[in-house]
Amino acid sequence: MVGVPFINPLSLEGREMVRQLGSLEDLTHDNPELIGIVTRSKSQDISDDQDIPRNHLELALKRLEWYVKKRNNPNFNYRKYAFLFQGDIEKFDTISFYLLSQAIGVKFGPNSRESRLMAESQGSLIQNRLEELNTRNREEIVLKALQELLSQGTLKWTFFEDLLSSRRIQLSDLVLDQGEVIMDQDDFRERLGPRLHHRDPDKMYQLLIGEELRELILIQMVMQQTENYMAEVHEKSRLMVEPNPLLLQLADGVTEILTQPTPSYTGTGKVARQSYRGPLNREAFPPCVKTALEGIKSGGRNDAIVLFITPFVSYARLCPDIFKQNVTVRVSDKDPQLQVVHQEVLPLIYEAAERCVPPLFEDQPQEKININAKIGFGMHSTLKLENEGETKWYTPMSCEKIKLHLPYLCRPDDDCKKIGNPLIYYNRKNWILSREQAESGDKKEDEGSSGEEVMENQDNDWIDV
Amino acid sequence: MEFQRATPEERRLYYREEWDVKQIPRFIRDSLYQREFGFDHHGRGPNDRYRTFRNEDHLRKFMRYRTPFAAYTSVAFYQKPNRREGWIKSELVFDVDAKDLPIRSCACDSVCELCLDQAKNIVSDLKDTLTSDLGLKEIYMIYSGRGYHLRVQDEEVLGTDSEVRSQIVKYLVGAEVPRSEYGQEGITYNLEHFAIPFGYHQVFTQRIKQSILHLTMETALDDVNKKLLKDVIKNRHLLLKDQWGPFRQAIGPIRYKRLTKGLAFTNLGLVDAKVSIDLKRILRLPSSLHSMVSMKCTEVKNLNTFDPFQDAVPQFVYERKD
Ligand code: SF4
Ligand SMILES: [Zn+2]
């Protein structure tokens, strides 16, 4: 049976482990106990010494490295990290968690790419750790960990405001009654049972609120708390004279992991061709984008500019391969000073807005705010880095959605047959154009398996019409 | 009853003889100084914005003197409302416009008694869900002149961001087909939305029931062809007795899935989501005149007995010559 800190290092028990800790310096020394646990782990690959963390610091980095590697390559060697799923590593793991969170909190602060990765990796670790357990242990530990997190008597849905805001859970995933979230079986039976006809309330509970939802909530809450913890650390560190050099050293290690060149892989394991990146190439725009950029002369100006052109232009310029990535991206990850946004992205959007009849901002200046919101900078009239993350960076809508809601924009040409999202059109066209340009004799490459087709229909952001 | 534009003279009559500042609901008067006001003086949109009033008397004088074509106030509370700065919180609002209902059984090109009544029923359903599911209590209903506003004042939601509000909207209108497949210990169970009489599943069932009952052969639903539409209309009487199982049977499970998907999507149009997620929105001021249609924007105390053609018609309309 594993302990709660193995799942939630921020639990009382986990915090206690850290409190009992001696000096930070000790954590850099080789730790035979740790090495022992690692090398004895079930199915651990011990062929390379590099893969064996020798102290807390190295373990901390391994935690993150595992996540980054796994994310970038589904075929990575899991056996190099088997120790992470070994219950007896709990004590070391918990302390490593705090080290890493503190390092990231101090150096990169909340809302950074690093802090998001940290929270995501924690979520992924919990998920994988739970999957290693047998059904009974799994259920038991989830209940135990949740109990502590949900210790107050009634649980109002507004308690999940953060999770709802970051879209980690959907309001419709929760079972709500009178403003309360029903999580407890007795509660469920008592309050909702009488409404059920010919159905067993306990069975219904198992299905609706069963293990799955409980795990989801547990994982999401720990992820959120991890983020909050890093934010707290960041606040405190600003009052400190100087952070511990050990933490800074660890932060450098984090940077190193994140900057390791990672080829992107397709579902089939082949290396995908690179997406075009660089100044916008208008020649490669699909017909719908070209039409919208000419300005909308009749109704539907707002949606065309705010919901369609804004996500398209921003992603095409800054992150054309978004559908191949499975981590959330922010504009500042791609354009830290927001230079490109101000000099290329916004001007093109404004130009399209200007060309509308009547010009969009003339009667609806507030749409500038909505444009900022759609690229992730909250509802503000000026686009400022400090507001980033208040809203989400909306991904470009699919052809299907366009045909439905902005039908006057879609005038498909031959290239449209092969794609399901204008952004994929753009990537593909750029690739074709560059190949035509190169005009070197060599024959077709792996056209069929570019990996883009896999996720081309993604546009789950596009909801709030 | 005709919806006729009010003349400047009629506006004057209204604000000098009929209107009283006390007709503005308490929840607005109590926070007057924290709100931004916007006015439309000539019927070309609210371009006189960033107005603020220190107290009721200033507002009263302004209205009587300027007799605006339309008056609005922010859902947001600000430290400096005259600059829209120092945002404190925003009411949670829902705008149900009879003219923009996605499925209407009337065929009018603006609003009529039928679609206004339909809007009223929708508002009543939304309000029920706000209370029964989200536990919200301080909910005000306003007749806007062409539909209804729901304005929620419960402190616990006033600070929520656009994202949370957009989730509330989706929940309330039933914008997504609820999950129907549930797995447990390797076995998959099928639980259709109508088998679960609470929570989001129930909300969804109620919303699409209303939609189905209002469908006409002219309704355009995503991925639903005329044949399917016809069969739905033919069998919808079953839903009057909540016989969902037989209804689904009659339609066929695959087509039923298409139907629910199409309906879920149109449900998004039940409210204007842009209004709900915009934290700095201005909304028509209750008690003010909707000059375009010559109706009063007015608080609705009892939705059941409220009749816009009785309770929202200003005096001057009765005195019109023709
Ligand atoms: S098919 Fe897609 S890419 Fe082509 S014009 Fe239509 S919406 Fe644009
Ligand atoms: Zn009508």
Side-chain angles (χ1 to χ4, degrees):
Chain A
M1 184 68 196
V2 297
V4 171
F6 192 54
I7 299 301
N8 179 15
L10 291 160
S11 60
L12 291 174
E13 210 182 317
R15 286 175 194 266
E16 194 51 40
M17 284 179 182
V18 181
R19 209 165 293 131
Q20 286 170 2
L21 202 64
S23 103
L24 273 185
E25 302 310 317
D26 295 346
L27 303 178
T28 58
H29 300 150
D30 280 8
N31 189 312
E33 194 191 342
L34 172 64
I35 298 170
I37 293 173
V38 172
T39 46
R40 280 194 313 272
S41 294
K42 204 173 93 209
S43 47
Q44 174 68 33
D45 179 346
I46 48 169
S47 59
D48 187 349
D49 265 356
Q50 288 287 315
D51 297 332
I52 314 292
R54 312 189 68 82
N55 57 42
H56 286 86
L57 248 56
E58 290 183 15
L59 177 61
L61 290 173
K62 283 286 171 203
R63 273 176 132 258
L64 200 63
E65 189 186 85
W66 163 77
Y67 179 65
V68 172
K69 285 243 166 91
K70 173 172 82 95
R71 219 193 53 205
N72 289 325
N73 175 12
N75 304 324
F76 87 117
N77 185 359
Y78 163 83
R79 294 178 54 233
K80 289 185 182 221
Y81 301 92
F83 58 84
L84 286 174
F85 308 94
Q86 210 63 37
D88 42 4
I89 204 164
E90 175 178 85
K91 196 177 68 191
F92 297 96
D93 178 73
T94 304
I95 290 162
S96 295
F97 167 89
Y98 280 90
L99 281 174
L100 198 56
S101 303
Q102 295 206 358
I104 290 174
V106 167
K107 178 83 184 278
F108 308 104
N111 299 324
S112 60
R113 175 172 141 83
E114 290 77 6
S115 69
R116 262 176 301 133
L117 271 175
M118 176 67 201
E120 282 170 17
S121 70
Q122 184 60 29
S124 193
L125 265 178
I126 302 175
Q127 182 75 48
N128 282 263
R129 282 173 177 172
L130 290 175
E131 276 161 17
E132 295 281 311
L133 302 173
N134 69 34
T135 319
R136 232 195 74 232
N137 284 347
R138 182 170 176 168
E139 196 168 328
E140 220 167 281
I141 191 72
V142 169
L143 282 175
K144 231 167 129 186
L146 257 185
Q147 219 159 39
E148 185 183 322
L149 287 169
L150 304 174
S151 52
Q152 69 260 62
T154 56
L155 184 59
K156 295 216 78 175
W157 66 272
T158 40
F159 176 75
F160 294 109
E161 188 180 329
D162 286 350
L163 294 178
L164 291 167
S165 167
S166 54
R167 294 198 194 196
R168 292 204 172 132
I169 56 175
Q170 296 287 323
L171 195 54
S172 50
D173 289 336
L174 304 171
V175 176
L176 300 177
D177 182 47
Q178 307 294 331
E180 287 170 33
V181 181
I182 310 289
M183 288 293 288
D184 181 71
Q185 185 156 4
D186 294 335
D187 218 20
F188 182 89
R189 199 186 306 112
E190 230 165 81
R191 294 171 68 159
L192 304 175
R195 297 199 214 167
L196 290 169
H197 306 291
H198 323 297
R199 280 188 197 265
D200 174 14
D202 289 327
K203 180 88 200 162
M204 189 75 114
Y205 171 82
Q206 284 305 336
L207 293 179
L208 288 183
I209 315 184
E211 200 63 356
E212 210 180 300
L213 183 64
R214 286 198 298 260
E215 280 184 14
L216 174 76
I217 287 184
L218 169 64
I219 291 174
Q220 301 300 349
M221 286 182 78
V222 175
M223 285 170 72
Q224 191 73 52
Q225 291 200 353
T226 304
E227 268 182 20
N228 297 351
Y229 179 72
M230 289 183 287
E232 263 169 53
V233 168
H234 184 71
E235 274 312 304
K236 281 194 193 136
S237 74
R238 300 210 310 204
L239 308 172
M240 278 177 357
V241 196
E242 207 163 294
N244 190 307
L246 220 67
L247 293 178
L248 294 178
Q249 185 192 328
L250 193 54
D252 288 342
V254 171
T255 306
E256 208 172 297
I257 289 175
L258 292 187
T259 48
Q260 271 167 18
T262 45
S264 58
Y265 289 82
T266 67
T268 55
K270 282 193 201 164
V271 180
R273 64 177 181 237
Q274 280 295 310
S275 290
Y276 172 85
R277 196 165 299 170
L280 287 164
N281 177 9
R282 294 188 187 217
E283 216 189 317
F285 286 163
C288 49
V289 174
K290 285 186 179 151
T291 312
L293 288 178
E294 279 161 19
I296 308 295
K297 313 276 188 275
S298 47
R301 288 175 302 154
N302 310 51
D303 288 354
I305 301 299
V306 178
L307 295 176
F308 173 57
I309 281 298
T310 300
F312 177 86
V313 168
S314 53
Y315 274 100
R317 176 64 184 90
L318 297 168
C319 187
D321 53 0
I322 176 65
F323 292 135
K324 275 192 259 166
Q325 307 197 353
N326 47 11
V327 63
T328 48
V329 184
R330 291 187 185 199
V331 166
S332 64
D333 292 342
K334 305 287 168 183
D335 181 16
Q337 307 301 322
L338 304 186
Q339 237 168 336
V340 182
V341 171
H342 285 298
Q343 290 170 9
E344 296 177 45
V345 174
L346 287 178
L348 188 57
I349 299 169
Y350 286 8
E351 189 187 312
E354 207 42 53
R355 288 220 180 102
C356 292
V357 181
L360 182 60
F361 301 141
E362 214 154 81
D363 54 328
Q364 310 199 22
Q366 81 282 5
E367 289 294 24
K368 284 195 181 171
I369 297 175
N370 289 328
I371 288 171
N372 291 343
K374 288 290 172 277
I375 46 184
F377 291 85
M379 306 286 292
H380 300 278
S381 44
T382 42
L383 191 144
K384 285 195 218 119
L385 204 50
E386 67 202 58
N387 298 323
E388 191 174 28
E390 286 176 22
T391 47
K392 230 191 109 163
W393 187 9
Y394 273 58
T395 50
M397 58 169 106
S398 66
C399 298
E400 202 183 310
K401 289 268 161 68
I402 294 166
K403 289 185 165 95
L404 210 64
H405 301 284
L406 306 162
Y408 49 93
L409 289 180
C410 176
R411 312 237 156 76
D413 62 13
D414 276 353
D415 290 313
C416 288
K417 287 188 198 124
K418 301 233 159 64
I419 51 93
N421 188 299
L423 188 63
I424 310 292
Y425 181 112
Y426 180 67
N427 287 331
R428 195 173 166 274
K429 190 82 179 191
N430 263 316
W431 184 69
I432 293 174
L433 290 176
S434 69
R435 225 175 34 151
E436 276 173 14
Q437 229 170 30
E439 201 73 308
S440 57
D442 52 34
K443 290 260 144 32
K444 282 195 177 178
E445 269 178 64
D446 55 343
E447 201 175 342
S449 63
S450 66
E452 291 168 348
E453 285 80 5
V454 183
M455 299 173 79
E456 65 182 13
N457 267 317
Q458 281 223 338
D459 59 352
N460 39 8
D461 292 351
W462 200 73
I463 296 291
D464 61 345
V465 278
Chain B
M1 164 116 328
E2 263 195 48
F3 299 101
Q4 211 177 310
R5 201 177 157 111
T7 64
E9 178 52 28
E10 288 173 334
R11 276 152 47 192
R12 265 170 38 108
L13 262 171
Y14 179 74
Y15 282 111
R16 305 228 166 136
E17 290 176 13
E18 195 170 344
W19 180 81
D20 180 358
V21 72
K22 298 282 182 231
Q23 291 161 357
I24 300 176
R26 261 241 106 80
F27 72 87
I28 294 177
R29 278 188 285 135
D30 285 348
S31 49
L32 214 57
Y33 63 100
Q34 288 179 315
R35 298 193 190 241
E36 183 211 358
F37 283 77
F39 299 95
D40 174 357
H41 296 292
H42 311 287
R44 288 192 218 110
N47 35 32
D48 177 13
R49 292 198 55 177
Y50 296 97
R51 288 267 181 189
T52 50
F53 298 96
R54 246 178 306 142
N55 56 41
E56 290 175 21
D57 205 43
H58 284 132
L59 177 60
R60 187 181 64 82
K61 285 187 182 131
F62 182 93
M63 297 294 270
R64 286 174 62 96
Y65 179 68
R66 301 290 301 265
T67 62
F69 186 84
Y72 303 84
T73 177
S74 64
V75 298
F77 298 59
Y78 302 98
Q79 242 119 36
K80 294 182 193 149
N82 57 338
R83 293 163 58 185
R84 248 182 263 163
E85 278 174 10
W87 180 83
I88 302 167
K89 58 187 181 181
S90 295
E91 297 171 35
L92 171 64
V93 296
F94 305 93
D95 178 17
V96 179
D97 194 325
K99 187 171 145 290
D100 297 331
L101 291 179
I103 297 176
R104 304 200 296 173
S105 31
C106 70
C108 76
D109 42 353
S110 160
V111 292
C112 68
E113 277 178 71
L114 274 176
C115 50
L116 276 174
D117 210 48
Q118 204 185 326
K120 188 164 123 175
N121 289 331
I122 290 168
V123 167
S124 159
D125 290 348
L126 298 181
K127 183 167 182 266
D128 282 349
T129 305
L130 284 169
T131 310
S132 65
D133 287 29
L134 298 180
L136 299 171
K137 297 191 181 68
E138 275 184 71
I139 307 168
Y140 296 88
M141 292 169 296
I142 311 292
Y143 174 70
S144 70
R146 278 203 327 190
Y148 295 85
H149 296 156
L150 276 166
R151 305 179 66 150
V152 183
Q153 313 293 323
D154 291 74
E155 208 47 61
E156 64 207 86
V157 291
L158 300 189
T160 54
D161 64 12
S162 300
E163 190 51 52
V164 174
R165 290 170 196 237
S166 120
Q167 292 222 29
I168 298 175
V169 170
K170 284 191 282 166
Y171 186 99
L172 225 52
V173 300
E176 268 155 35
V177 183
R179 174 167 165 206
S180 62
E181 279 175 9
Y182 292 88
Q184 201 197 8
E185 286 158 15
I187 310 167
T188 308
Y189 296 84
N190 204 285
L191 273 181
E192 285 294 333
H193 60 92
F194 50 79
I196 303 170
F198 45 75
Y200 181 63
H201 292 78
Q202 186 185 39
V203 173
F204 185 77
T205 306
Q206 289 170 346
R207 298 298 177 268
I208 69 167
K209 176 175 171 181
Q210 287 311 315
S211 297
I212 293 174
L213 295 178
H214 284 98
L215 286 176
T216 71
M217 277 310 287
E218 271 63 59
T219 313
L221 281 181
D222 189 16
D223 215 8
V224 171
N225 57 24
K226 289 281 168 204
K227 169 90 176 63
L228 175 50
L229 198 56
K230 208 172 128 205
D231 291 345
V232 171
I233 292 177
K234 195 176 109 203
N235 289 294
R236 67 181 168 195
H237 61 94
L238 290 165
L239 299 185
L240 291 173
K241 288 194 221 97
D242 288 316
Q243 302 206 348
W244 286 89
F247 177 74
R248 178 168 175 266
Q249 204 70 49
I251 301 295
I254 297 173
R255 293 205 305 166
Y256 184 79
K257 215 177 192 155
R258 287 218 314 261
L259 173 70
T260 47
K261 241 182 116 184
L263 289 169
F265 199 81
T266 50
N267 279 351
L268 259 182
L270 288 175
V271 304
D272 184 346
K274 282 199 213 92
V275 174
S276 302
I277 63 172
D278 184 349
L279 301 179
K280 303 193 169 179
R281 196 78 177 190
I282 51 173
L283 282 187
R284 197 174 287 281
L285 177 70
S287 83
S288 72
L289 184 66
H290 192 315
S291 299
M292 198 69 95
V293 291
S294 295
M295 281 197 136
K296 290 188 282 187
C297 170
T298 178
E299 183 179 353
V300 178
K301 288 267 161 57
N302 182 338
L303 200 60
N304 290 327
T305 58
F306 180 76
D307 175 1
F309 298 98
Q310 286 291 321
D311 305 313
V313 179
Q315 202 52 45
F316 66 76
V317 168
Y318 296 108
E319 288 156 14
R320 277 176 181 161
K321 297 268 148 53
D322 45 353

